[in-house]
Structure formats: structure tokens, C-alpha cells
Amino acid sequence: MTETKEYLPWSESFSVGLQEIDEQHKILIALINRLYYEAILNKADKSTISSILDELIQYTIVHFSVEESLFRIFDYAEGDTHQNQHEQFKKSIINFQRKFENGAQIDIELMSFLRKWLKDHILVNDKKYTSFFLEKGFKSSWSKERSWAGKIWDSITLK
Ligand SMILES: [Fe+2]
């Protein structure tokens, strides 16, 4: 088997400087790469593609909820604008999923839309919140192994 170059390779330039968020972004990137591999390169059957698409959508929703709850907890001024972007993207992928279930193919246009959207969103919008969260006491090394959600709670209630 030859090594396949990833469609969207992780780059350190994508790091927002918050470990937990980076880990979640890596999972989203991995799902986009899997979708590209199975749908475009491997021309996998519908049920394989369908389950990756489903996982991508479910994980996207979970990840957006995490960011949005941080916006609410820390009262982030740009939270509403950011959340609107999430809503638009969710609508587009759920809409696409419906079309796929009705027979549409996953083509390179869809793949490049997913890749471009995530890249631009991380680099432009997500990177904007880092300094704000750090000022509010969020530690860049918090990740789920270290119960970061609990620590956010402590940092708020101990103030
Ligand atoms: Fe975001």
C-alpha cells in the first residue's frame, strides 16, 4: 500500500494555543481526511461514506457546542457572530447530508468547501478567542484528560 498524502494535513499554524480545542480540531481534520479517502479515492459504498459523514456532522455539532459554551461562560463579545458562522456551516452540511441520502455524490467541490471552511474558520475566527480565554484564566494546557471543564468551573467559582 502506498502512503496517501492527506487531503488536509494538520499544520502547527492551525494551533489556536489551547490544547483541548486543538485536539478537537485534529479530530475534525481526521474525519475530513477519512471522508476524502473513502469517497474520492476509494469510491467506497454508500453506507461507509454515510457513516463517516454522519460522524463528521455529529462531531462538528459537539465541537461547536463546546466552543459556544465557553463563549457563554466567559461572556465573549464576539460569541454571537461566531455562533452564527457555526449555524451556517451546520445548515450546509446537514443540507448536503440530505442530498447525499437522496443520491447525490460527494465530489471534490464539496470536499474543497469543507477543507476551506474549516481552515479559514480556525485561522481567522477561532484564533481570535485565544487571548480572550487566556486572560479569563483558561489554561492553554487544559485538556479533557485533566478535566478541563471542571477546572473552568473552579476558576469561575473561586474568583
Ligand atoms: Fe469555531
Side-chain angles (χ1 to χ4, degrees), residues 62-80:
V62 168
H63 169 66
F64 286 174
S65 307
V66 168
E67 286 190 352
E68 288 160 16
S69 46
L70 291 171
F71 299 160
R72 281 194 299 276
I73 291 168
F74 291 124
D75 207 10
Y76 179 53
E78 290 188 60
D80 285 351

Side-chain angles (χ1 to χ4, degrees), residues 63-64 67 82 86 121 126 129:
H63 169 66
F64 286 174
E67 286 190 352
H82 195 133
H86 288 171
H121 185 75
D126 289 345
Y129 57 56

Side-chain angles (χ1 to χ4, degrees), residues 29 39 82 102 154:
I29 285 173
H82 195 133
N102 288 324
D154 290 347

Side-chain angles (χ1 to χ4, degrees), residues 27-39:
I27 293 172
L28 285 176
I29 285 173
L31 285 165
I32 289 177
N33 284 326
R34 243 169 77 203
L35 187 63
Y36 177 82
Y37 180 79
E38 293 296 352

